[in-house]
Amino acid sequence: MLLLHLVRGRGRVRAISTKASLKISPFPHTFTLSLSSHTHSPMATEESLRKSLADKQSAVESQGNAVRALKASSAPKSQIDAAIETLNALKLEKSSLERSLHSILAGGGDTREAFRQSVVNTLERRLFYIPSFKIYRGVAGLFDYGPPGCAVKSNVLAFWRQHFVLEENMLEVDCPCVTPEVVLKASGHVDKFTDLMVKDEKTGTCYRADHLLKDFCNEKLQRDLTLSSDKAAELKHVLATLDDLSGEELGAKIKEYEITAPDTKNPLSDPYPFNLMFQTSIGPSGLSPGFMRPETAQGIFVNFKDLYYYNGNKLPFAAAQIGQAFRNEISPRQGLLRVREFTLAEIEHFVDPEDKSHPKYPEVADLEFLMFPREEQMTGQSAKKTCLGDAVSKGIVNNQTLGYFIGRVYLFLTRLGIDKERLRFRQHLANEMAHYAADCWDAEIECSYGWIECVGIADRSAYDLRAHTDKSGVPLVAAEKFSEPKEVEKLVITPIKKELGLAFKGNQRMVVEALEAMHEKEALDMKAALESKGELEFKVCTLDKTVTIKKNMVTIQKEKKKEHQRVFTPSVIEPSFGIGRIIYCLFEHTFYMRPSKAGDEQLNVFRFPSLVAPIKCTVFPLVQNQKYEEVAKLISKSLTAAGISQKIDITGTSIGKRYARTDELGVPFAITVDSTSSVTIRERDSKDQVRVDVEKAASVVKEVTEGQRTWEDVWSTFPHHSSTAADE
């Protein structure tokens, strides 16, 4: 058989004799060859080729002018022929450079596309997922999971609960999808949860502005062989800084590059912000605005006070939620990777900001995996295998708790079946992080679309709880009780309620609460302003307006006091999982093709671990025989009683075709009934079979699917079975 290996970024193929089944892998990390004798990095090779090509083009033009001059001056034929021969040689060299540059720019794209199409066709044909509302031509960004897709998703979520919620004793909540506007106003989503959009000025079709610029740059870099090295460097810089561009800068680039609407080539409008939340109203009056939640986290933050009490007023603790989220994407694409309704699984781990150690951190400190710190990104390096403990001790990862969750996320993804060589943890660049964030990392998984962010792990400091405290007036705080009272110097804010009552009447309480909730810096700034000017403007969030505070309405001073506890706003470490993205990457990572026995077709296989396989075992009578069917039904019943998902197939189809059908669903084991006393158990990837007594069949499958024993152990324990008729 032949195993195809693809050259990284080149698209070349070579065949290597091997016993392995045929597998087509489009992922760069598996590419084993390099282009000719070049040892440069791909970027350096591309730059040098572009310069060489520009020089060769100039030489061709110069030699062409020389030929024309010789002909015009009626030079001897031998001289003209020699000049033409030189010109043709230069053209051949130019064509060779163009082919080399094209092979680099193609980057295996055609192979990736073919691989992706094979995966998606199989997924849709076997009903893992399909476009929603298909009979009405569907709606972009909406998908339905079919029976095997639902089973995979259910298994992934069940393992997520086991790995995180149960292991860490998290408090699970389930909050509504419909969220009042005031909550998302406090969180910043109403004002800032936007993407920049442009419109086709004639048809009104909407496009995401950064996507158009990104597609233009990629298209030019990959297709335009005449692009100078300077222009290529400029376009790469645009791609690298795309997230930093303001609306004005984005619009200027679109105009500079003369980018038009992809479908009609019509001119585009200037970019403007489009809020990605689905808006609705709560109740029939329409007076209570709301939104479909864009994330599940806010439901946890607003319940912090009650969760803290439920946890015995102790930190640290974590709350978790699995649920649907909604984002009205401008131009959804890339299948399950960018959709308008999706499942999130989010954790909010609340911790004392002065102590971000974690008692279980040593359990993950020795893990090694691909990490991509911001320094390496800025200097053009690649992700490298790094010991997590070293990254934390060197301060690359901000603290132990953040490091602990990075390690736990790595274990979760790799146990699901994600290839650890195609998984990296990329640190956010400074310009990607919110001003309040201490540190942020993304678990990125490589698939045919490139590196895809699937999990975000962020230290969000105390921003969220403070924002909801300010907006609601309810203090979302924790307390550390001292064993003995401590004398501390504290800023005391004392609102003069009589003066505030005269000035604000019914709104007095909300003004008092807003004054008392001020942070120390804000209060000291107010004190200085009142002493110098006698009054100042003060924003009261609960009133949603600015009021005038005068010197006689509040006193602000530092006092020495004895305190029995320290009251503080907890920090939060937030791992957020895009379940649909993880599942799609899992589909690609576990998919491969192998030839049928006759060699006349390629058979699709999903190499799902038993943990996530939609069906754990199938049961087949070898032939249509009443006694065999009775045994098959008995085993099927035993598997169900043992909690093993199974499917029985008593059709008369050949056993080879039945195996192929279940391999395509990723079923790890198949029991074939070929006698009334014993049966065979077949393992999907090796196609090895063992013979087991009927009474033991269900228990053996249960043990191996639940990880109590390995297939290698089963293989060494039971008699082997060989059947050419059953081999595809």
Side-chain angles (χ1 to χ4, degrees):
M1 298 180 188
L2 298 177
L3 175 63
L4 297 185
H5 286 274
L6 303 181
V7 183
R8 178 182 178 89
R10 309 291 190 269
R12 290 188 177 180
V13 178
R14 75 170 179 182
I16 303 173
S17 178
T18 174
K19 293 182 180 179
S21 56
L22 183 67
K23 301 176 185 179
I24 298 176
S25 175
F27 304 109
H29 88 278
T30 62
F31 297 174
T32 57
L33 300 183
S34 59
L35 179 63
S36 64
S37 60
H38 289 296
T39 57
H40 310 300
S41 69
M43 187 174 293
T45 303
E46 180 192 338
E47 184 178 350
S48 61
L49 280 173
R50 285 193 186 278
K51 285 181 178 177
S52 298
L53 186 59
D55 292 342
K56 198 63 66 179
Q57 177 63 34
S58 297
V60 168
E61 291 173 0
S62 177
Q63 186 65 19
N65 291 335
V67 169
R68 283 188 287 275
L70 288 170
K71 288 181 177 179
S73 63
S74 301
K77 184 177 182 300
S78 59
Q79 196 173 347
I80 293 174
D81 289 344
I84 291 174
E85 187 177 345
T86 302
L87 177 61
N88 289 336
L90 286 170
K91 285 181 177 179
L92 284 173
E93 290 172 12
K94 175 173 169 279
S95 297
S96 176
L97 285 170
E98 286 175 340
R99 285 194 298 273
S100 297
L101 181 57
H102 179 73
S103 69
I104 289 177
L105 299 180
D110 293 342
T111 306
R112 283 173 177 253
E113 179 64 35
F115 173 83
R116 183 192 310 139
Q117 204 56 53
S118 296
V119 176
V120 171
N121 287 346
T122 305
L123 291 169
E124 292 192 4
R125 180 167 49 79
R126 297 313 304 266
L127 218 60
F128 279 87
Y129 73 88
I130 53 173
S132 298
F133 316 112
K134 196 173 173 183
I135 62 171
Y136 292 102
R137 299 185 181 178
V139 178
L142 296 176
F143 292 91
D144 297 336
Y145 285 91
C150 280
V152 170
K153 182 179 177 183
S154 176
N155 292 337
V156 168
L157 292 176
F159 181 57
W160 189 88
R161 277 195 173 94
Q162 175 191 329
H163 188 80
F164 291 107
V165 179
L166 297 181
E167 178 73 24
E168 311 295 337
N169 290 314
M170 294 179 179
L171 311 180
E172 188 171 1
V173 298
D174 187 358
C175 305
C177 293
V178 178
T179 306
E181 182 184 49
V182 65
V183 174
L184 295 166
K185 185 80 173 172
S187 68
H189 285 85
V190 171
D191 298 322
K192 298 177 182 177
F193 196 66
T194 58
D195 278 336
L196 291 168
M197 182 169 77
V198 290
K199 277 187 178 180
D200 182 317
E201 290 189 340
K202 294 184 179 178
T203 67
T205 304
C206 299
Y207 304 95
R208 207 171 122 173
D210 61 331
H211 282 179
L212 292 184
L213 182 55
K214 180 180 179 181
D215 291 346
F216 171 83
C217 293
N218 283 328
E219 180 73 15
K220 292 289 284 183
L221 287 167
Q222 292 171 15
R223 305 292 180 191
D224 190 349
L225 303 183
T226 64
L227 207 61
S228 70
S229 57
D230 289 343
K231 193 65 176 178
E234 176 192 324
L235 294 179
K236 287 175 183 177
H237 177 71
V238 170
L239 288 172
T241 59
L242 197 57
D243 291 337
D244 291 341
L245 298 181
S246 65
E248 292 76 15
E249 291 169 330
L250 202 53
K253 287 292 180 188
I254 288 173
K255 282 187 170 64
E256 178 186 345
Y257 297 143
E258 299 179 345
I259 298 173
T260 56
D263 303 318
T264 63
K265 307 305 177 188
N266 292 330
L268 296 165
S269 69
D270 290 331
Y272 61 94
F274 171 76
N275 194 292
L276 297 177
M277 293 191 294
F278 286 97
Q279 189 164 14
T280 186
S281 59
I282 303 170
S285 68
L287 299 177
S288 179
F291 296 91
M292 303 301 289
R293 65 185 180 191
E295 62 182 25
T296 65
Q298 301 308 317
I300 296 175
F301 294 136
V302 299
N303 284 313
F304 171 80
K305 187 176 180 180
D306 293 320
L307 291 168
Y308 180 58
Y309 174 77
Y310 180 86
N311 199 54
N313 295 327
K314 292 178 182 177
L315 283 182
F317 76 89
Q321 181 170 196
I322 297 171
Q324 296 302 97
F326 306 83
R327 297 181 186 177
N328 195 13
E329 294 283 354
I330 296 167
S331 50
R333 52 187 184 175
Q334 298 182 334
L336 291 181
L337 299 181
R338 188 171 294 280
V339 292
R340 288 177 165 140
E341 179 180 350
F342 50 95
T343 302
L344 283 179
E346 295 191 296
I347 297 166
E348 309 301 331
H349 181 91
F350 298 101
V351 64
D352 186 336
E354 294 183 5
D355 180 13
K356 293 182 180 179
S357 61
H358 197 289
K360 294 169 71 175
Y361 167 71
E363 295 178 13
V364 300
D366 293 333
L367 290 174
E368 281 193 10
F369 44 79
L370 289 172
M371 299 189 77
F372 202 11
R374 63 173 66 97
E375 286 73 17
E376 275 77 356
Q377 296 173 58
M378 297 298 290
T379 54
Q381 300 180 53
S382 301
K384 295 183 180 67
K385 278 198 174 179
T386 305
C387 175
L388 180 58
D390 290 344
V392 173
S393 63
K394 291 176 183 176
I396 297 170
V397 174
N398 185 269
N399 57 76
Q400 280 191 10
T401 298
L402 185 64
Y404 176 72
F405 278 106
I406 289 173
R408 291 291 292 167
V409 169
Y410 169 79
L411 292 174
F412 169 74
L413 293 173
T414 52
R415 287 172 184 171
L416 279 182
I418 296 299
D419 183 350
K420 63 183 179 181
E421 300 300 328
R422 285 182 258 162
L423 168 64
R424 72 182 185 191
F425 288 81
R426 187 186 69 83
Q427 188 176 30
H428 282 203
L429 300 175
N431 56 41
E432 291 180 88
M433 291 203 305
H435 63 89
Y436 52 78
D439 196 6
C440 300
W441 293 76
D442 288 339
E444 295 183 334
I445 303 173
E446 189 187 24
C447 69
S448 62
Y449 290 105
W451 288 98
I452 303 298
E453 173 199 345
C454 294
V455 186
I457 310 124
D459 182 338
R460 296 176 58 83
S461 300
Y463 171 79
D464 302 280
L465 294 182
R466 282 183 179 148
H468 287 299
T469 294
D470 292 344
K471 189 70 173 175
S472 68
V474 177
L476 302 177
V477 295
E480 176 195 8
K481 295 190 182 299
F482 301 141
S483 55
E484 292 183 5
K486 291 184 179 180
E487 186 172 86
V488 296
E489 187 176 61
K490 192 169 184 180
L491 191 71
V492 179
I493 303 168
T494 309
I496 310 301
K497 293 182 180 180
K498 180 181 176 182
E499 299 297 333
L500 292 168
L502 291 171
F504 303 112
K505 299 186 170 46
N507 292 328
Q508 180 215 46
R509 181 180 64 81
M510 285 181 277
V511 177
V512 168
E513 288 175 348
L515 288 168
E516 291 176 337
M518 284 191 295
H519 306 309
E520 183 170 333
K521 183 179 184 307
E522 187 182 6
L524 290 173
D525 290 345
M526 176 181 281
K527 178 180 172 69
L530 291 175
E531 288 175 353
S532 62
K533 300 177 183 176
E535 64 180 43
L536 89 161
E537 299 299 299
F538 178 62
K539 177 72 180 290
V540 180
C541 292
T542 47
L543 290 176
D544 201 22
K545 68 178 183 179
T546 301
V547 300
T548 302
I549 300 295
K550 297 184 177 178
K551 191 174 182 179
N552 64 337
M553 294 179 180
V554 62
T555 62
I556 302 171
Q557 57 189 13
K558 286 194 172 183
E559 296 179 358
K560 286 189 176 180
K561 297 179 67 176
K562 281 194 173 182
E563 288 196 340
H564 296 270
Q565 63 179 11
R566 176 175 70 96
V567 178
F568 59 92
T569 304
S571 287
V572 64
I573 312 294
E574 179 191 70
S576 178
F577 299 74
I579 298 300
R581 289 186 170 196
I582 292 170
I583 289 172
Y584 179 77
C585 291
L586 179 65
F587 288 151
E588 283 206 8
H589 282 210
T590 57
F591 181 83
Y592 68 101
M593 302 170 74
R594 62 187 176 198
S596 62
K597 185 184 178 186
D600 57 347
E601 62 177 324
Q602 291 294 315
L603 303 176
N604 302 324
V605 185
F606 280 105
R607 193 192 298 106
F608 294 129
S610 300
L611 183 72
V612 295
I615 301 167
K616 311 299 185 195
C617 184
T618 48
V619 185
F620 306 137
L622 182 62
V623 293
Q624 287 186 313
N625 176 296
Q626 184 66 32
K627 289 182 180 180
Y628 291 177
E629 289 178 12
E630 290 301 321
V631 173
K633 289 175 182 177
L634 180 66
I635 293 173
S636 174
K637 190 174 181 180
S638 299
L639 288 168
T640 302
I644 303 299
S645 59
Q646 53 79 34
K647 183 178 181 181
I648 186 169
D649 185 347
I650 57 176
T651 62
T653 312
S654 74
I655 192 68
K657 288 184 177 178
R658 280 183 280 176
Y659 282 151
R661 281 206 302 255
T662 58
D663 289 346
E664 202 171 46
L665 285 173
V667 181
F669 301 102
I671 295 174
T672 304
V673 181
D674 56 1
S675 81
T676 56
S677 59
S678 67
V679 296
T680 65
I681 301 177
R682 171 189 182 266
E683 194 272 333
R684 175 195 59 218
D685 297 312
S686 65
K687 298 190 285 185
D688 289 336
Q689 297 184 59
V690 295
R691 184 161 292 281
V692 178
D693 291 343
V694 169
E695 295 78 15
K696 293 181 180 178
S699 62
V700 170
V701 171
K702 178 179 172 66
E703 288 169 359
V704 77
T705 56
E706 293 183 352
Q708 297 169 18
R709 67 192 301 183
T710 63
W711 176 253
E712 288 73 19
D713 179 42
V714 172
W715 180 251
S716 64
T717 303
F718 295 96
H720 300 176
H721 174 78
S722 176
S723 172
T724 54
D727 190 3
E728 295 86 354

